[in-house]
Amino acid sequence: MIKDNDLPTMPVKGPHRKRIGVISIVACFGGLLFGYDTGVINGALNPMSSELGLTALSEGVVTSSLVFAAAIGALFGGRLSDAVGRRSTIIVLSVLFFVGTLLCVFTPGVAVLVAGRICLGLAVGGASITVPVYLSELAPFEIRGSLSGRNELAIVTGQLAAFVINAVIGTVWGHIDGIWRVMLAICAVPAVCLFIGMLRMPESPRWLIEHGRNDEALQVLKSVRTEDRAVAEMQIIEDLAKDTTGENRVGFRAVFTSKWALRIVLVGIGVAVAQQLTGINSIMYYGQTVLIESGFASNAALIANIAPGIVAVVGGCFALYMMDKVDRRKTFTIGLSLTTLFHLLIGICSVAIPQGAALRPWVLLFLIVCFVASMQTFLNVAVWVWLAEAFPLPMRGVGTGISQLFGWGINGLLALFFPSLVAGIGITGVFFLFAGVGVLALIFVVTQVPETRGVSLERMEEGVVSGQAYRFSEWRDERDRETADRLARRASASQETEAVTSHD
């Protein structure tokens, strides 16, 4: 069987890389929608509450209904993508995004609004699973991290867009009744772009091979690889697919009867939950509330809330730059260390600086911005990429779906109860609580999470099944040897080409 380091090298530039770039841009409209729909409530909630007469409880229900629905969307979105294909699932999700937006915009009351938020949540959850998997299965493993990580950059870009649009609309036209409906309506535009764009995109070649459509898969691979690389990669996927399709496919029940399947799913759940328990989405959903609690006036908080959105996008850009250069385990470790540090600093400063002090809101804003920057640079992109890489092909949809079911579930609980936590124990207690969880998450990552960077999806599957991927030092050393061999072969091939050119 051909191994990773035997694959022909891919050129750094050319039509194949350009084609992959176009595919990633179109698919990442799903991430943009994810970000906008989760971020828009941050500024739309206050005028929405005034018009519809929402109570504190119904505000929590409206906000968290999308998140809880996303948990279900993540679970069944993975299964749907395994059954009908990654591309087809993304097309279905684009329709859900559009329908959910219409329900929210034209809602006459709370019930229809919640129904629209649930529809959007199903789409968000499905996109959170399907888009990264789709991109990771199309990308050459050398650039898989930076390519599939673009989806997370699209998510934070969507959230920033929501914050900016909310601030502009709220400041200029905030006096107009129903202005929050305009904030929500903007989401319809990227939903239409996603639907039209995906109609022209290819299906995942790995999904096609798993379903016996090998000729189609080879044509897709040839469109995003050089011909010799496509043929060689095709052989690797076919060899592995023989042992992982049909009766060997892993479903929900099989996860609990297979030791190797259960372990990687438990690790996936841990990674997804650790990401959410940093409290990042508490800032993204309730940033204005947190800043008001810190000492800002309402309008000032709406504008200041843009700052975390900006650093989230900048951090995402840095994360993409590092994604194919720094190991996932290292980025997780650095990220959790930094976020835990800033949790502690936020808690300490909120105690040390008294309420009403002019310096208090600005210090806390600075620390919140540092926390968001650490999270986006070292954790969010890496987590989404890792989840798309870690699971073997026959259980990729199931594994990512179960992991994100728990991740979104924790996200939903935080969305529902975060205002109550702030009211009950204050900013100080909340961030000290996040710090304690961060220490536990750091221990978990160091002791349990296998490395996926620089390893093909097929090689990763072998390592998970055999348990070799959990022998961290041996797994890293073998990966590094294969990488060195590959680079040596590329250098040799380059020298031979230069010699031939010089001779001619």
Side-chain angles (χ1 to χ4, degrees):
M1 179 177 176
I2 298 175
K3 294 186 177 181
D4 295 354
N5 59 331
D6 295 325
L7 288 172
T9 57
M10 282 283 291
V12 176
K13 297 181 180 180
H16 303 97
R17 288 291 180 94
K18 186 177 294 186
R19 174 64 170 162
I20 293 174
V22 171
I23 292 170
S24 70
I25 290 172
V26 172
C28 284
F29 273 107
L32 189 73
L33 286 159
F34 175 160
Y36 192 90
D37 280 319
T38 55
V40 70
I41 196 69
N42 200 321
L45 189 59
N46 282 343
M48 180 191 297
S49 297
S50 298
E51 180 177 333
L52 300 180
L54 301 182
T55 64
L57 177 61
S58 56
E59 282 184 358
V61 170
V62 168
T63 301
S64 62
S65 58
L66 182 148
V67 185
F68 284 120
I72 305 301
L75 182 64
F76 290 102
R79 292 289 286 172
L80 181 65
S81 72
D82 282 346
V84 305
R86 321 305 190 201
R87 170 183 172 272
S88 300
T89 299
I90 294 173
I91 292 173
V92 171
L93 294 174
S94 69
V95 175
L96 271 178
F97 275 119
F98 189 77
V99 172
T101 299
L102 293 183
L103 287 174
C104 290
V105 170
F106 296 106
T107 179
V110 177
V112 177
L113 177 62
V114 171
R117 295 280 291 173
I118 290 173
C119 189
L120 289 172
L122 293 172
V124 164
S128 74
I129 295 301
T130 310
V131 173
V133 168
Y134 175 70
L135 293 175
S136 70
E137 291 185 345
L138 272 160
F141 72 87
E142 300 96 329
I143 61 167
R144 188 179 63 229
S146 59
L147 190 75
S148 54
R150 292 179 187 181
N151 186 59
E152 175 60 27
L153 181 60
I155 292 171
V156 295
T157 301
Q159 289 175 330
L160 174 60
F163 299 161
V164 172
I165 289 170
N166 285 347
V168 171
I169 292 177
T171 302
V172 179
W173 298 288
H175 61 283
I176 300 176
D177 291 339
I179 195 64
W180 58 272
R181 298 177 188 268
V182 178
M183 297 176 181
L184 299 179
I186 292 170
C187 182
V189 176
V192 172
C193 293
L194 179 64
F195 177 82
I196 295 173
M198 285 305 299
L199 291 176
R200 300 178 61 84
M201 296 298 105
E203 182 54 84
S204 159
R206 286 174 169 82
W207 183 88
L208 290 170
I209 291 172
E210 191 187 12
H211 289 76
R213 296 160 62 178
N214 293 24
D215 291 341
E216 293 177 56
L218 182 58
Q219 291 305 310
V220 173
L221 280 172
K222 286 182 177 179
S223 71
V224 292
R225 308 282 196 277
T226 58
E227 184 160 354
D228 55 346
R229 172 69 177 259
V231 172
E233 200 166 317
M234 181 82 178
Q235 182 181 333
I236 293 177
I237 304 171
E238 283 180 328
D239 289 342
L240 191 62
K242 292 175 183 177
D243 299 324
T244 56
T245 55
E247 295 181 356
N248 294 318
R249 180 184 297 277
V250 178
F252 288 120
R253 184 177 300 175
V255 166
F256 299 99
T257 58
S258 170
K259 179 180 178 180
W260 64 265
L262 180 59
R263 178 167 182 177
I264 192 62
V265 167
L266 289 175
V267 173
I269 289 171
V271 169
V273 169
Q275 177 195 31
Q276 295 301 332
L277 286 178
T278 60
I280 182 61
N281 283 316
S282 301
I283 301 299
M284 293 306 179
Y285 302 157
Y286 294 108
Q288 185 180 10
T289 301
V290 171
L291 293 173
I292 291 173
E293 178 74 13
S294 299
F296 282 100
S298 181
N299 284 341
L302 187 62
I303 297 172
N305 193 49
I306 296 174
I310 293 173
V311 298
V313 174
V314 174
C317 292
F318 277 112
L320 286 187
Y321 174 77
M322 294 189 305
M323 198 51 51
D324 293 316
K325 298 177 176 63
V326 182
D327 285 351
R328 314 284 187 251
R329 283 168 53 83
K330 184 176 292 186
T331 59
F332 288 169
T333 302
I334 295 172
L336 286 169
S337 299
L338 288 174
T339 54
T340 301
L341 172 64
F342 286 116
H343 287 150
L344 287 171
L345 290 175
I346 291 170
I348 291 169
C349 289
S350 66
V351 172
I353 304 175
Q355 290 278 358
L359 191 62
R360 176 185 168 88
W362 296 103
V363 170
L364 293 181
L365 174 62
F366 172 75
L367 293 174
I368 288 170
V369 165
C370 291
F371 159 67
V372 172
S374 301
M375 185 73 193
Q376 296 296 347
T377 303
F378 296 103
L379 281 178
N380 268 3
V381 174
V383 166
W384 288 109
V385 170
W386 186 92
L387 287 171
E389 296 172 333
F391 296 101
L393 179 61
M395 61 172 294
R396 192 162 293 147
V398 173
T400 51
I402 293 175
S403 299
Q404 287 297 353
L405 170 67
F406 282 85
W408 279 109
I410 294 297
N411 189 345
L413 290 174
L414 285 174
L416 183 59
F417 294 114
F418 183 78
S420 300
L421 275 175
V422 172
I425 61 177
I427 291 291
T428 304
V430 168
F431 281 95
F432 278 143
L433 181 62
F434 286 151
V437 174
V439 173
L440 297 177
L442 189 58
I443 295 171
F444 167 77
V445 164
V446 172
T447 60
Q448 298 298 324
V449 177
E451 182 57 56
T452 62
R453 185 183 74 87
V455 183
S456 73
L457 297 178
E458 290 68 42
R459 180 73 183 92
M460 189 68 211
E461 179 166 342
E462 292 176 0
V464 168
V465 173
S466 66
Q468 185 181 4
Y470 299 103
R471 296 191 284 272
F472 304 130
S473 296
E474 295 176 16
W475 182 247
R476 181 197 62 219
D477 292 343
E478 181 177 348
R479 187 276 314 270
D480 290 345
R481 284 194 298 271
E482 291 182 354
T483 301
D485 289 344
R486 187 165 56 250
L487 292 175
R489 288 191 301 108
R490 174 177 291 183
S492 177
S494 177
Q495 290 173 0
E496 291 175 3
T497 301
E498 290 177 3
V500 171
T501 303
S502 177
H503 177 74
D504 292 341

